[in-house]
Each structure stands twice: as structure tokens, then as C-alpha cells.
Amino acid sequence: MKKRFLFPTLLALAGSSALADKVVNIGFSGPLSGGAAFYGKDVQSGIDMAIAELNRTGVTVKGEKVTFKLVALDDRYLPNETATNVKRLTSQGIDVVFVPHAGGILTVQPMTTRDPEFLLVAYSSEPKILDARNPLTFMLPPRYDNYLQPFAATQMKAFGKRLGLLGTNSAYGKQWTDAISDEWKKQGGTVLGNNSVDYNTTVDYSSAVTKALADKPDVLFIGGPSQPTALVVKAAREQGFKGGFIVMDQAKFEQMDQVVPRNYLDGSVGVLPTKEFPGTQVFVTLYQRLYKKVPTSEAALNYMGMNIIAKAMELAGTTDNPEAIRAQLDAAAKALPQNKTVFKLYGVTDKGHVDAQFLVASVKGGQYTRLRLIKTFK
């Protein structure tokens, strides 16, 4: 039997609305300070936006009206702090927890089926998350191995066969670096030295870029949170690099071009900006009105994920049974209207993976060119 403890502090967070409705707390552990803070806050804003809308329109579970509240904790992008936060959240009776980075997700995945159980909403494209076949994981973005072949083929054809490595050195970044290196070699290219750096703490990227450019690369693999990734581009262009960039899916063009001129991004491949997708206009307009910034897939997919969770609770007739909620995710996703799903949505696979459409894009002449349609299912 699942043990449940509701601390007085959590009741205080619920406020007076607890007298009228059942308050369902949703957990979040992500980077809200440090170099990845913008990234973590983008994820948080998408969940917050969904919760605000759900509370306005009303959600009824088994005849009882519920109100959602997000309990967000900062883990500074550190997996050990993610684990501490998740223990704290679940000990307070929270049954659904969002975590937006691979290191944290992989650390807490084994905890999902222990007492107390919880549903882990994973915002990371790391394939190992799905490969674990964890029965209480709900993964939102496409696996990054969907991007490897088109990214490598496009850049090798356009710029040449020499690839320099300059991605973030987080656990997720290391996995991406290994995967793109293998794909590059598979397509007949040469992989040069690895000059990965910590995008979470580094301020000046000039030295790392100088080392990478000394090997005369045709293409640089870069990526981590958007803002520091843009600074890597800036350092490379200012040091005379004329080649192409393979941009890890964590970094978003729509945020990078607010840090550097768009022409610095020419010759890059990455994920098409959310605002460029067909059918996203309603979400983009509402988000910009609320947060005064351009939404990325961090906001959009977590907004969508929270809506799916709420609908799954309705269908399952429970807010506190993670297994029952997980079992209704596919039906919930298929029941959502387009303005709540943001991207074209097909459902949720039996592995707990959102099955939706994404587009690979390149930047040419300051414009985004769509290269290939990607479905998250694989």
C-alpha cells in the first residue's frame, strides 16, 4: 500500500482553494539557477501555462473538481540534487514529477517503481530513457538518434568531411558527442579532437574554440542550453570559422538568434523553431502574450505533456495512481484538441513516448529551410 504524507508546508502552498477543490500538486525538478536556468525556466513556463488554463476551464476526476499546482525545485542541472528533490516531492504525496535533463532522469528512473511510486515526465531526447523500458516514464521529445543521419549527411555534403567536437560535457552532451561521432564516421567522415566544455559554468568560450579550430574542421558539433551555444557560435565566427554547425537539439535557433546575428547561424542544421511549425500559431501567440518571449519546444512540449496528464487523470478516474494514469496516456493524447497538443500528435507509444511530428531545418541566408520530417516514434 502506498504511504502518503502531506506536510503542513504543502498544505500552505495549496492556499484557500483547497477548501473548494481537491488540490493536485505536480512536481518539477530542473535547473532554475546557473547556466541552464533559462532552459529550466522555459520548461517550467510551459507547465505553468497549461496548469493556469486547466484551472480556469476546470478538470473533474471521478466527479470531483480538481485544481493543479506546480511545486518547482531547483536542482542546478545536477543529477544528485534531482534525486534529493524527487525524494522530497514524492514524500509529500506528489505522484507526477517533471524532470527536464537526461542526467537527472536516468538517476531517478529506478525510483519510480519504489514506494512511493510516481510517474516521471521526462523532457530529454536521450534514447537510454526509453531503452530502460521503465513502466512509469512518460517521455516527451523525439529521441536524438532520429537526427544523426540527416544532420551528418547534410553538413558533410555542404562543407566537407572533417568534424570538430565542441558540445557541452554534461552526461547528455557526452552521449550526443559519441553518437554524432559514430554517425559521422559511418558516413565516411573524419572526427577530430574533442574540445567539449561545461556550458553550465563556462563564460568565455574563446579558448575552447581556438583549440577546436586548430584542427581545421569543416563542421563543428556544438550544443547545450541555447544561450551558451550561441556564444560558441559567436566565438567561432569571430575567429574566422566559415564552416557549418551541427546544433544539438537542446539548443534552439529561435533563442540563439537573440544572442547572435542570424547570419552567424548560416550553415547550421538543427530543429525547426516552434513558431515555424504549422498549427502552432495559437499557442505561440498566447505564450508570447503571457511571458514576453518566443516559445521553444521546451515550453510547447511540456505544455502539451501537462495537458495529456490532466486528460489521463480524467480518463483513469484517479489523480494519485501513477500506473492507472500511465495506462491512459495514449487515449488522453488522442483526445486532446489541436490547440492543446501544439504539434501534430498521433498518441503515446506503449513505451510511454509521445508520438508526434518534428522537422529538421537548416539556416540559409538568414532563413529556416525545412529538410526532413521526423516522427518521435522509433
Side-chain angles (χ1 to χ4, degrees):
M1 187 74 175
K2 186 172 182 178
K3 299 176 182 178
R4 311 195 58 79
F5 303 94
L6 195 61
F7 291 2
T9 53
L10 197 57
L11 287 171
L13 284 172
S16 60
S17 62
L19 299 175
D21 306 332
K22 176 180 179 179
V23 177
V24 177
N25 291 286
I26 303 295
F28 170 88
S29 177
L32 299 176
S33 62
F38 287 107
Y39 169 77
K41 289 175 181 177
D42 282 339
V43 172
Q44 182 184 8
S45 65
I47 305 168
D48 277 332
M49 180 175 169
I51 285 176
E53 291 180 0
L54 289 165
N55 289 344
R56 282 198 303 272
T57 58
V59 175
T60 301
V61 179
K62 206 172 182 178
E64 184 176 23
K65 186 176 179 182
V66 302
T67 297
F68 295 103
K69 184 174 182 65
L70 185 66
V71 182
L73 301 178
D74 182 15
D75 63 23
R76 300 184 298 158
Y77 216 57
L78 300 173
N80 62 316
E81 295 198 20
T82 309
T84 299
N85 287 348
V86 168
K87 288 177 183 177
R88 177 182 170 189
L89 292 166
T90 56
S91 73
Q92 294 175 341
I94 292 178
D95 298 286
V96 177
V97 180
F98 285 73
V99 178
H101 54 100
I105 292 163
L106 293 171
T107 298
V108 303
Q109 250 190 330
M111 298 164 55
T112 61
T113 54
R114 299 174 190 167
D115 191 5
E117 292 183 342
F118 67 97
L119 180 62
L120 172 62
V121 186
Y123 185 79
S124 171
S125 59
E126 169 57 62
K128 289 183 178 180
I129 296 167
L130 287 177
D131 293 344
R133 295 187 173 275
N134 180 277
L136 288 175
T137 297
F138 177 30
M139 178 168 157
L140 300 178
R143 298 165 54 125
Y144 68 67
D145 49 5
N146 285 294
Y147 300 121
L148 300 175
Q149 193 281 330
F151 280 8
T154 299
Q155 297 304 72
M156 196 177 296
K157 180 179 179 181
F159 294 99
K161 294 189 174 185
R162 295 172 63 82
L163 177 68
L165 304 174
L166 198 53
T168 184
N169 64 5
S170 66
Y172 174 73
K174 290 175 181 176
Q175 294 292 334
W176 238 110
T177 297
D178 289 344
I180 194 64
S181 297
D182 290 344
E183 180 63 32
W184 193 265
K185 292 174 185 176
K186 179 181 176 182
Q187 295 191 28
T190 299
V191 177
L192 307 173
N194 186 350
N195 292 281
S196 297
V197 293
D198 187 348
Y199 280 40
N200 196 38
T201 60
T202 303
V203 177
D204 185 354
Y205 294 89
S206 299
S207 177
V209 168
T210 298
K211 291 178 183 178
L213 296 185
D215 290 333
K216 306 297 183 184
D218 300 310
V219 179
L220 285 175
F221 167 68
I222 62 174
S226 299
Q227 288 76 15
T229 302
L231 296 179
V232 175
V233 170
K234 183 175 185 289
R237 292 305 191 208
E238 290 180 351
Q239 291 185 36
F241 180 61
K242 303 295 185 185
F245 295 103
I246 292 176
V247 181
M248 185 194 301
D249 60 335
Q250 184 179 1
K252 302 302 187 294
F253 286 141
E254 60 265 49
Q255 291 182 322
M256 294 171 66
D257 68 14
Q258 296 178 36
V259 179
V260 297
R262 178 77 64 85
N263 66 300
Y264 277 26
L265 299 175
D266 277 0
S268 300
V269 293
V271 180
L272 186 72
T274 297
K275 64 181 180 179
E276 302 288 331
F277 278 78
T280 62
Q281 291 77 15
V282 171
F283 170 78
V284 170
T285 299
L286 291 174
Y287 184 90
Q288 288 180 313
R289 186 182 303 161
L290 285 170
Y291 298 101
K292 313 304 179 187
K293 59 183 178 179
V294 176
T296 62
S297 60
E298 278 78 31
L301 277 173
N302 283 280
Y303 169 89
M304 185 172 77
M306 183 61 221
N307 275 288
I308 293 173
I309 291 291
K311 178 59 69 173
M313 288 177 174
E314 287 184 340
L315 296 176
T318 178
T319 61
D320 58 11
N321 185 330
E323 292 181 0
I325 297 166
R326 165 69 177 78
Q328 292 296 327
L329 291 177
D330 182 50
K334 291 174 179 175
L336 289 186
Q338 175 62 38
N339 67 333
K340 299 297 183 184
T341 59
V342 188
F343 304 103
K344 187 172 183 179
L345 180 63
Y346 300 101
V348 176
T349 72
D350 58 1
K351 291 183 179 180
H353 192 197
V354 167
D355 189 13
Q357 283 188 358
F358 278 83
L359 292 165
V360 172
S362 65
V363 185
K364 297 179 181 178
Q367 300 297 316
Y368 298 111
T369 301
R370 300 177 188 183
L371 297 177
R372 182 177 298 188
L373 175 67
I374 297 286
K375 285 187 66 180
T376 60
F377 179 74
K378 184 172 181 178

mmCIF file of all heavy atoms in Angstrom, residues 25 35 46 64 110 114 145 159 164 179 248 318 323 374-375:
data_model
loop_
_atom_site.group_PDB
_atom_site.id
_atom_site.type_symbol
_atom_site.label_atom_id
_atom_site.label_comp_id
_atom_site.label_asym_id
_atom_site.label_seq_id
_atom_site.Cartn_x
_atom_site.Cartn_y
_atom_site.Cartn_z
ATOM 1 N N ASN A 25 -1.001 18.431 -6.596
ATOM 2 C CA ASN A 25 0.318 19.026 -6.777
ATOM 3 C C ASN A 25 1.128 18.245 -7.793
ATOM 4 O O ASN A 25 1.170 17.008 -7.768
ATOM 5 C CB ASN A 25 1.047 19.077 -5.435
ATOM 6 C CG ASN A 25 0.421 20.075 -4.485
ATOM 7 O OD1 ASN A 25 0.566 21.276 -4.629
ATOM 8 N ND2 ASN A 25 -0.316 19.558 -3.500
ATOM 9 N N GLY A 35 23.947 28.288 -15.402
ATOM 10 C CA GLY A 35 23.992 28.493 -16.851
ATOM 11 C C GLY A 35 22.814 27.919 -17.609
ATOM 12 O O GLY A 35 22.526 28.349 -18.727
ATOM 13 N N GLY A 46 6.051 26.384 -19.599
ATOM 14 C CA GLY A 46 5.086 25.591 -20.359
ATOM 15 C C GLY A 46 4.128 24.843 -19.453
ATOM 16 O O GLY A 46 2.914 24.773 -19.714
ATOM 17 N N GLU A 64 -15.123 14.722 -8.984
ATOM 18 C CA GLU A 64 -14.570 15.714 -8.076
ATOM 19 C C GLU A 64 -13.758 16.747 -8.860
ATOM 20 O O GLU A 64 -12.886 16.394 -9.654
ATOM 21 C CB GLU A 64 -13.671 15.023 -7.043
ATOM 22 C CG GLU A 64 -13.121 15.961 -5.985
ATOM 23 C CD GLU A 64 -12.316 15.208 -4.925
ATOM 24 O OE1 GLU A 64 -11.826 14.100 -5.229
ATOM 25 O OE2 GLU A 64 -12.193 15.728 -3.799
ATOM 26 N N PRO A 110 14.948 4.639 -11.711
ATOM 27 C CA PRO A 110 14.742 3.446 -10.878
ATOM 28 C C PRO A 110 13.879 3.706 -9.646
ATOM 29 O O PRO A 110 13.335 2.765 -9.069
ATOM 30 C CB PRO A 110 16.179 3.066 -10.464
ATOM 31 C CG PRO A 110 17.064 3.678 -11.491
ATOM 32 C CD PRO A 110 16.387 4.958 -11.869
ATOM 33 N N ARG A 114 9.482 2.319 -6.833
ATOM 34 C CA ARG A 114 9.620 2.065 -5.404
ATOM 35 C C ARG A 114 8.465 2.729 -4.657
ATOM 36 O O ARG A 114 7.664 3.448 -5.232
ATOM 37 C CB ARG A 114 10.968 2.603 -4.902
ATOM 38 C CG ARG A 114 12.175 1.961 -5.573
ATOM 39 C CD ARG A 114 13.459 2.641 -5.151
ATOM 40 N NE ARG A 114 14.599 2.196 -5.958
ATOM 41 C CZ ARG A 114 15.775 2.805 -5.977
ATOM 42 N NH1 ARG A 114 15.978 3.899 -5.242
ATOM 43 N NH2 ARG A 114 16.749 2.342 -6.739
ATOM 44 N N ASP A 145 18.616 10.246 -31.652
ATOM 45 C CA ASP A 145 19.218 9.457 -32.727
ATOM 46 C C ASP A 145 18.429 9.558 -34.026
ATOM 47 O O ASP A 145 18.918 9.160 -35.090
ATOM 48 C CB ASP A 145 19.446 7.998 -32.312
ATOM 49 C CG ASP A 145 18.248 7.330 -31.667
ATOM 50 O OD1 ASP A 145 17.170 7.945 -31.602
ATOM 51 O OD2 ASP A 145 18.402 6.185 -31.204
ATOM 52 N N PHE A 159 29.769 21.027 -46.568
ATOM 53 C CA PHE A 159 31.003 21.662 -46.088
ATOM 54 C C PHE A 159 32.253 20.788 -46.146
ATOM 55 O O PHE A 159 33.360 21.318 -46.255
ATOM 56 C CB PHE A 159 30.799 22.151 -44.648
ATOM 57 C CG PHE A 159 29.789 23.247 -44.533
ATOM 58 C CD1 PHE A 159 28.490 22.985 -44.144
ATOM 59 C CD2 PHE A 159 30.127 24.563 -44.836
ATOM 60 C CE1 PHE A 159 27.546 23.996 -44.043
ATOM 61 C CE2 PHE A 159 29.200 25.583 -44.741
ATOM 62 C CZ PHE A 159 27.901 25.305 -44.348
ATOM 63 N N GLY A 164 34.748 18.742 -36.038
ATOM 64 C CA GLY A 164 35.273 19.091 -34.729
ATOM 65 C C GLY A 164 34.187 18.988 -33.679
ATOM 66 O O GLY A 164 33.005 19.222 -33.961
ATOM 67 N N ALA A 179 27.445 9.731 -30.176
ATOM 68 C CA ALA A 179 26.520 9.281 -31.219
ATOM 69 C C ALA A 179 26.793 9.979 -32.552
ATOM 70 O O ALA A 179 26.821 9.332 -33.611
ATOM 71 C CB ALA A 179 25.077 9.535 -30.773
ATOM 72 N N MET A 248 23.123 20.550 -31.519
ATOM 73 C CA MET A 248 22.395 19.603 -30.674
ATOM 74 C C MET A 248 20.973 20.094 -30.434
ATOM 75 O O MET A 248 20.721 21.293 -30.322
ATOM 76 C CB MET A 248 23.136 19.467 -29.344
ATOM 77 C CG MET A 248 22.569 18.434 -28.399
ATOM 78 S SD MET A 248 23.225 18.610 -26.725
ATOM 79 C CE MET A 248 24.972 18.428 -27.002
ATOM 80 N N THR A 318 -8.569 8.881 -11.538
ATOM 81 C CA THR A 318 -7.705 8.992 -10.369
ATOM 82 C C THR A 318 -6.625 10.043 -10.603
ATOM 83 O O THR A 318 -6.187 10.244 -11.737
ATOM 84 C CB THR A 318 -7.024 7.646 -10.046
ATOM 85 O OG1 THR A 318 -6.157 7.804 -8.918
ATOM 86 C CG2 THR A 318 -6.210 7.140 -11.223
ATOM 87 N N GLU A 323 0.215 4.248 -12.062
ATOM 88 C CA GLU A 323 0.067 3.187 -13.055
ATOM 89 C C GLU A 323 -1.198 3.378 -13.886
ATOM 90 O O GLU A 323 -1.191 3.207 -15.103
ATOM 91 C CB GLU A 323 0.051 1.826 -12.358
ATOM 92 C CG GLU A 323 1.392 1.444 -11.738
ATOM 93 C CD GLU A 323 1.343 0.077 -11.071
ATOM 94 O OE1 GLU A 323 0.269 -0.567 -11.098
ATOM 95 O OE2 GLU A 323 2.378 -0.350 -10.533
ATOM 96 N N ILE A 374 10.443 14.421 -39.051
ATOM 97 C CA ILE A 374 10.829 13.403 -38.079
ATOM 98 C C ILE A 374 9.614 13.062 -37.231
ATOM 99 O O ILE A 374 8.944 13.951 -36.705
ATOM 100 C CB ILE A 374 11.948 13.915 -37.157
ATOM 101 C CG1 ILE A 374 13.218 14.228 -37.953
ATOM 102 C CG2 ILE A 374 12.237 12.922 -36.035
ATOM 103 C CD1 ILE A 374 13.973 13.025 -38.425
ATOM 104 N N LYS A 375 9.308 11.776 -37.109
ATOM 105 C CA LYS A 375 8.315 11.335 -36.133
ATOM 106 C C LYS A 375 9.066 10.885 -34.892
ATOM 107 O O LYS A 375 10.128 10.288 -34.985
ATOM 108 C CB LYS A 375 7.469 10.182 -36.680
ATOM 109 C CG LYS A 375 6.422 10.613 -37.704
ATOM 110 C CD LYS A 375 5.512 9.438 -38.056
ATOM 111 C CE LYS A 375 4.697 9.013 -36.874
ATOM 112 N NZ LYS A 375 3.802 7.861 -37.170
#
